[in-house]
Amino acid sequence: MTTLVFGHKSPDTDSTGSPLIWAWYLNEIKGEQAKAVLLGQPNTEAAFVLERWSQSTPDIISEVELGQRCVIVDTNNPAELPAAINDADVVQIIDHHKLVGGLETKGPIDITIRPVACTATIMYDLMGDDTAKMPDEIRALALSCILSDTLEFRSPTTTDRDIEVAKTLAAELGVSIPDYAAEMFAAKSDVSAYSDAELLRMDSKEYEVGGKKFRVSVLETTAPDIPMGRKDSLMETMVTVAEEDGVDQVLLFVVDILKEEATLLVPNDLVKTLCEKSFSTSVSGDTAVLPGIVSRKKQIIPNLAL
């Protein structure tokens, strides 16, 4: 049986590139049949990376069949996976997020969760000496994943190992990290083709805070004026998206990569209260600027409180 390799439902660069990296490793190094798939449309940056390195977009699936052999990467959260994931045969998890719980497997499995900024960094280390056999397009995917997840080393989740691996890959490829990262972030910032609902779901995860369910969306950009110019319509669409997704509220943090700050849209008193309690700030108006906040995993989610 072919092993399916996939990440979470909102494929960013790491959840798009890492399945391709690990499927290559399983096929070419381990001699197993494996196929990278996605659980949704890749975001603009991930789509740019695929095109830049002549990689076809993996097939998109919504469900997994009973007993389907799977490797899960860049998540371990059942809420971010197909509804029937516990009926599949999950044989491996490679991730860099906190352990959520709720996944059930058919037997003992291989799990690697490490406190680094990117799944691709973990994969590079798991491959060991076999990284020498990586073709350039796989090296490039790994570099892209690391630069994306670390915001070119700006994110507080960045570790020395992420930087070391990225610099090694860039040197092998003959790629300038600042120049290539700028290309990636420019692609990430081009959201003109996306509807408000698509923007709110593009890079989002569901969390419960104080008995309320939130869809926490992060839009990383070097051109914050573009999404902020759609502020009013985005806040109107939050109501529809919340109803459709079964959450109490959508939170949108527009992260300015260059200024290293986030702007939270504040459409109502619930978000105002949450912002003031979470980030020790006073909110007036319908936005809140949060200096130094760029990471959902390390700076936003751990601080959310009501």
Side-chain angles (χ1 to χ4, degrees):
M1 176 183 289
T2 298
T3 300
L4 299 183
V5 187
F6 51 81
H8 51 72
K9 289 180 181 178
S10 301
D12 54 10
T13 299
D14 197 18
S15 260
T16 300
S18 286
L20 287 164
I21 295 166
W22 204 246
W24 168 82
Y25 178 70
L26 293 177
N27 281 313
E28 302 300 326
I29 305 301
K30 305 300 286 184
E32 303 176 17
Q33 286 189 319
K35 178 182 178 181
V37 296
L38 301 180
L39 301 186
Q41 289 288 345
N43 69 14
T44 53
E45 182 187 75
F48 161 79
V49 168
L50 292 175
E51 183 177 0
R52 171 69 173 76
W53 299 101
S54 302
Q55 297 295 292
S56 299
T57 302
D59 290 341
I60 297 174
I61 65 171
S62 58
E63 296 295 341
V64 288
E65 296 181 358
L66 178 68
Q68 171 63 58
R69 187 177 171 90
C70 302
V71 173
I72 298 171
V73 303
D74 197 31
T75 186
N76 66 82
N77 187 347
E80 300 174 356
L81 295 165
I85 191 63
N86 284 342
D87 294 325
D89 183 13
V90 178
V91 297
Q92 187 174 24
I93 297 172
I94 306 172
D95 191 18
H96 64 118
H97 297 91
K98 71 175 184 177
L99 188 62
V100 175
L103 279 175
E104 297 180 9
T105 61
K106 306 300 182 186
I109 70 168
D110 186 343
I111 301 179
T112 305
I113 299 177
R114 294 181 182 173
V116 294
C118 183
T119 308
T121 302
I122 302 171
M123 291 179 171
Y124 187 91
D125 287 340
L126 290 176
M127 290 181 193
D129 292 341
D130 289 323
T131 56
K133 302 172 185 177
M134 297 168 71
D136 280 353
E137 61 269 21
I138 297 300
R139 296 180 197 276
L141 289 175
L143 173 62
S144 303
C145 292
I146 297 170
L147 294 181
S148 177
D149 268 12
T150 65
L151 296 179
E152 195 193 353
F153 316 139
R154 294 175 175 89
S155 172
T157 62
T158 307
T159 67
D160 290 344
R161 185 56 180 159
D162 294 298
I163 296 172
E164 182 180 9
V165 172
K167 288 184 175 180
T168 297
L169 292 166
E172 291 170 347
L173 290 164
V175 168
S176 161
I177 285 179
D179 291 347
Y180 180 52
E183 291 182 57
M184 290 175 54
F185 298 155
K188 179 183 291 190
S189 302
D190 182 9
V191 296
S192 57
Y194 289 84
S195 69
D196 291 339
E198 288 171 330
L199 283 184
L200 293 173
R201 292 187 175 106
M202 183 182 292
D203 186 1
S204 65
K205 298 186 178 184
E206 293 183 16
Y207 293 91
E208 185 170 325
V209 182
K212 297 285 187 181
K213 292 182 179 179
F214 293 91
R215 175 173 290 283
V216 184
S217 303
V218 173
L219 185 58
E220 298 163 344
T221 178
T222 55
D225 288 349
I226 295 176
M228 292 306 295
R230 297 165 60 172
K231 178 185 65 176
D232 291 344
S233 61
L234 282 167
M235 289 195 293
E236 290 177 5
T237 307
M238 286 178 179
V239 178
T240 303
V241 170
E243 290 176 353
E244 292 177 351
D245 294 359
V247 298
D248 293 288
Q249 180 66 51
V250 177
L251 304 178
L252 177 60
F253 294 82
V254 178
V255 173
D256 186 326
I257 296 171
L258 301 181
K259 287 187 176 180
E260 298 185 32
E261 65 181 21
T263 299
L264 172 64
L265 272 59
V266 184
N268 53 41
D269 287 341
L270 173 61
V271 180
K272 180 177 185 291
T273 299
L274 180 136
C275 182
E276 291 181 338
K277 289 184 177 295
S278 302
F279 302 105
S280 301
T281 188
S282 179
V283 178
S284 60
D286 56 8
T287 61
V289 177
L290 307 171
I293 301 296
V294 297
S295 170
R296 174 172 48 205
K297 182 172 69 174
K298 196 163 186 176
Q299 296 173 309
I300 295 176
I301 297 302
N303 288 324
L304 293 182
L306 278 172

